[in-house]
Amino acid sequence: MQNPYIPVPAEITKIVKQTDIDYTFFVKSDMNLKSGQFVQLSVPKAGEAPISVSDFKDGELEMTIRKVGKVTDEIFNKEIGDKLYIRGPYGNGFSPEDHYGKELILVAGGTGLAPVKNFINHFYDNLDKLKSFRVIVGFKSMKDRLFVDELNKWSQKFPVNITLDRPEEGWIGSTGFVTDHINKMLMKDMENTHVVIVGPPPMMKFTALGFSKIGLKQEQIWMSFERKMSCALGKCGHCKIDETYVCLEGPVFRYDKAVNLID
């Protein structure tokens, strides 16, 4: 029986710069994943960190990583042909089937767009499974935008509203926080509307409250928690909130569960 703590090597095949501190790393991998799950990514002698998987297909896994510490600093020093070490996948992800036949709204803040990129691509390829699909994405500024080409591609099939906290000269899109745009939404069928929210905890909290105020029930909203996973196997307790292990039961939760998860 394989030791679940031992990672396997994965060769880097491509590196794409998204912003000054966000790069997307493509590695060879045959992992069987689900949108919203995460992996534990390690560099020998530097350590290990939980990383969301932004996309996966054809023996390739894609991770969009922000340079924020010792482990990610070492990852950013890697080049094509080098190896990263991965174990997983872990956690409870998004189930696209939960939303079939619904009016679906996805709201992402900043790097929260990365864990749902595969989820969005699923519906880009299967738009007939939904009654409608809308995406709202908030970034701090133009230089903080992720997946610009994909955002343009998606907007050819369904509405994609990009809003900036700090608009700059030449920006012709929306401005303000994602929560500023909730009240502008007209949903034809409130009872058959689902919302997926991913981003920083305050953004998710107030976005969920905003949708609740306009009539959505808690069981119509999903969100993904960002936590410092350590073992990812429910043993160390680092990600535990009350009696809930986020690495096992999350990071994706329906809001009627998530609303009670308070540190």
Side-chain angles (χ1 to χ4, degrees):
M1 183 176 178
Q2 184 177 352
N3 187 328
Y5 290 98
I6 297 178
V8 297
E11 181 182 343
I12 299 171
T13 58
K14 184 179 177 182
I15 303 172
V16 175
K17 180 180 178 181
Q18 302 285 345
T19 73
D20 289 343
I21 58 171
D22 299 288
Y23 283 24
T24 299
F25 291 81
F26 297 76
V27 300
K28 292 180 181 178
S29 175
D30 292 320
M31 267 187 192
N32 183 20
L33 289 113
K34 189 176 183 180
S35 297
Q37 288 186 301
F38 69 97
V39 297
Q40 291 290 116
L41 187 62
S42 59
V43 177
K45 300 182 180 180
E48 185 177 59
I51 301 293
S52 297
V53 176
S54 46
D55 210 351
F56 47 92
K57 56 186 176 182
D58 303 327
E60 187 175 66
L61 185 150
E62 173 185 331
M63 297 167 289
T64 300
I65 301 171
R66 172 160 286 186
K67 188 177 183 182
V68 291
K70 180 181 177 183
V71 177
T72 52
D73 285 350
E74 289 298 322
I75 292 171
F76 272 57
N77 288 331
K78 298 294 183 181
E79 299 177 350
I80 294 173
D82 290 341
K83 289 182 172 61
L84 297 172
Y85 291 80
I86 301 175
R87 61 183 178 91
Y90 299 113
N92 172 45
F94 293 103
S95 296
E97 297 82 5
D98 288 342
H99 311 287
Y100 284 178
K102 306 295 183 180
E103 292 193 48
L104 181 59
I105 301 169
L106 186 143
V107 187
T111 55
L113 183 59
V116 288
K117 181 171 177 279
N118 176 269
F119 183 77
I120 297 172
N121 277 330
H122 173 83
F123 286 114
Y124 179 86
D125 295 330
N126 298 275
L127 198 55
D128 60 318
K129 300 291 187 181
L130 300 173
K131 291 180 69 175
S132 68
F133 189 28
R134 281 173 284 180
V135 174
I136 304 174
V137 186
F139 297 110
K140 289 182 179 179
S141 66
M142 290 179 68
K143 66 181 180 63
D144 294 302
R145 292 175 298 164
L146 303 177
F147 311 126
V148 174
D149 290 342
E150 284 83 359
L151 288 165
N152 291 330
K153 180 188 80 171
W154 296 334
S155 67
Q156 303 303 309
K157 277 197 175 184
F158 44 79
V160 177
N161 183 7
I162 304 169
T163 182
L164 301 184
D165 299 354
R166 299 192 293 267
E168 303 164 29
E169 185 177 350
W171 175 249
I172 59 174
S174 298
T175 61
F177 300 126
V178 292
T179 49
D180 297 330
H181 300 275
I182 295 172
N183 289 330
K184 304 173 187 176
M185 295 194 150
L186 295 175
M187 288 162 274
K188 296 177 182 177
D189 188 353
M190 290 285 287
E191 291 191 358
N192 282 302
T193 296
H194 283 183
V195 174
V196 169
I197 308 167
V198 187
M203 168 263 175
M204 292 199 297
K205 173 184 176 180
F206 290 105
T207 302
L209 288 173
F211 278 107
S212 296
K213 287 179 181 178
I214 63 172
L216 261 67
K217 299 175 183 177
Q218 292 181 350
E219 57 265 31
Q220 294 174 263
I221 301 171
W222 283 255
M223 53 180 56
S224 180
F225 277 46
E226 291 183 1
R227 301 286 290 179
K228 176 58 179 174
M229 317 292 186
S230 185
C231 72
L233 296 167
K235 302 297 183 184
C236 71
H238 282 199
C239 70
K240 192 178 180 184
I241 305 177
D242 293 329
E243 298 304 314
T244 299
Y245 289 89
V246 176
C247 68
L248 299 179
E249 297 184 48
V252 176
F253 293 96
R254 208 169 67 176
Y255 187 47
D256 52 348
K257 169 76 172 181
V259 71
N260 297 312
L261 297 179
I262 302 173
D263 281 323

